[in-house]
Amino acid sequence: MWSHRPWQGRFVAHPLPAGERLRAYASWCDAVEGNTTFYATPTRDTVASWAEQTDPDFRFVLKLPKPITHEHRLTGGDQELRAFLDAMEPLGPRAHALWLQLPGSFGPGDVGVLADFLRRLPAAHRYAVEVRHRAFFDDQYAIRALETVLGDADAEWVPFDTVMFFQNPPTSDAERDAWVKKPRMPRRSLALTDRPIIRYLGRDSVEQTVAGWRFWVDTVTGWLREGRSPTVFIHTPDNAEAPELCRRFHDEVRARVPELAPLPEPLPVARAEQPTLF
């Protein structure tokens, strides 16, 4: 996301070498979703450059590769898993959680497979699991089974809150695209560990996005007061305003929890000089 085109020249300087874009992003936000790792495992040198551009307390939530979670469905992919873990090693403490986003077809009957997989993972990392099968939100037996497996592994359940997004029909191309692709699930807000992770999807409208996250401001405030250390990701259909929205959310929480550290001061965005005729 730190190379997201709509941010260039607005939130981060443009042009900017690829090896400096994460550093610029990290002056706006102190966490990032590692979504690209789902599609391809980067080289260790690439990951080392991520570490060089970020402070040790910067948080990467890194998605396990698709062959592991979707193709092998956690029953194989040992070679891909070893390659992924090796590649992520340069991040050190920045690897806040390794994130298993499971397909919608991964249901209650697969919970035993998840338990076996989590037991095989190295204890050096923390893990977070996102499920999209409806039974994990409606069926109390399925919910308890999954919570038990995650609790035994000290793994977090990652909710993806799309409730606000699906309240009204889409009004733009970006919203129409997300309307088809994003999961439509009930909201879940029970933290299983001391490091909960929230993914929230708003709308093109800033007002609607802010209205929809009021629930999470209350929830995150409570978690902080309990001594937990949550990570929150704010999305919109095109993510064009995401860095600014993230800082606004952080400020709202900090107004209630003043001891929460502020986010970094954004690096200045140099403005290109206007061409002249003389």
Side-chain angles (χ1 to χ4, degrees):
M1 283 303 297
W2 55 82
S3 295
H4 195 41
R5 188 175 297 276
W7 299 351
Q8 297 176 17
R10 184 179 175 202
F11 298 119
V12 298
H14 180 73
L16 196 62
E20 292 295 323
R21 292 173 188 168
L22 175 56
R23 191 187 313 279
Y25 168 87
S27 74
W28 280 86
C29 301
D30 57 5
V32 72
E33 289 181 351
N35 189 57
T36 58
T37 55
F38 180 72
Y39 301 101
T41 296
T43 66
R44 276 182 67 104
D45 287 346
T46 295
V47 176
S49 77
W50 299 350
E52 291 168 2
Q53 294 178 66
T54 52
D55 292 335
D57 58 354
F58 186 88
R59 299 180 178 186
F60 287 85
V61 177
L62 298 150
K63 193 182 293 188
L64 264 65
K66 183 178 180 180
I68 299 169
T69 56
H70 286 58
E71 296 172 11
H72 294 289
R73 295 173 63 88
L74 308 185
T75 59
D78 290 349
Q79 182 176 347
E80 291 91 341
L81 179 60
R82 284 193 297 270
F84 174 77
L85 294 173
D86 180 70
M88 297 304 119
E89 191 174 353
L91 291 178
R94 299 168 185 82
H96 185 71
L98 303 185
W99 166 27
L100 289 72
Q101 187 183 76
L102 299 173
S105 60
F106 196 97
D110 300 303
V111 169
V113 173
L114 174 62
D116 290 341
F117 182 79
L118 290 172
R119 279 194 289 267
R120 292 192 290 117
L121 292 174
H125 293 287
R126 298 286 293 267
Y127 301 95
V129 177
E130 180 184 340
V131 291
R132 294 188 169 185
H133 193 288
R134 185 78 188 199
F136 291 125
F137 300 86
D138 294 339
D139 184 318
Q140 290 302 312
Y141 178 81
I143 293 170
R144 287 195 298 272
L146 181 56
E147 287 179 346
T148 298
V149 165
L150 296 178
D152 289 345
D154 195 26
E156 189 54 81
W157 183 330
V158 181
F160 185 21
D161 180 8
T162 60
V163 171
M164 165 56 74
F165 177 74
F166 284 111
Q167 279 188 358
N168 301 109
T171 59
S172 69
D173 287 344
E175 288 190 346
R176 281 186 283 273
D177 183 62
W179 193 268
V180 175
K181 294 179 179 178
K182 301 304 181 184
R184 194 179 303 212
M185 299 292 177
R187 181 183 289 132
R188 176 190 162 82
S189 60
L190 177 65
L192 300 181
T193 72
D194 62 340
R195 301 203 290 185
I197 299 168
I198 301 302
R199 306 182 66 233
Y200 167 76
L201 176 65
R203 298 289 299 240
D204 287 345
S205 163
V206 171
E207 292 75 18
Q208 291 181 50
T209 298
V210 171
W213 77 34
R214 297 298 182 203
F215 172 87
W216 290 114
V217 171
D218 293 340
T219 301
V220 168
T221 296
W223 285 341
L224 288 167
R225 288 173 177 163
E226 293 169 359
R228 301 181 197 265
S229 182
T231 305
V232 181
F233 295 108
I234 305 296
H235 289 273
T236 63
D238 63 7
N239 283 316
E241 309 294 327
E244 204 162 65
L245 288 168
C246 289
R247 295 181 71 88
R248 180 169 175 177
F249 181 92
H250 186 93
D251 287 344
E252 288 195 19
V253 174
R254 192 163 179 255
R256 300 192 189 186
V257 188
E259 61 271 27
L260 179 65
L263 289 172
E265 188 67 26
L267 294 175
V269 179
R271 303 294 181 185
E273 293 185 4
Q274 295 296 321
T276 61
L277 295 176
F278 306 101

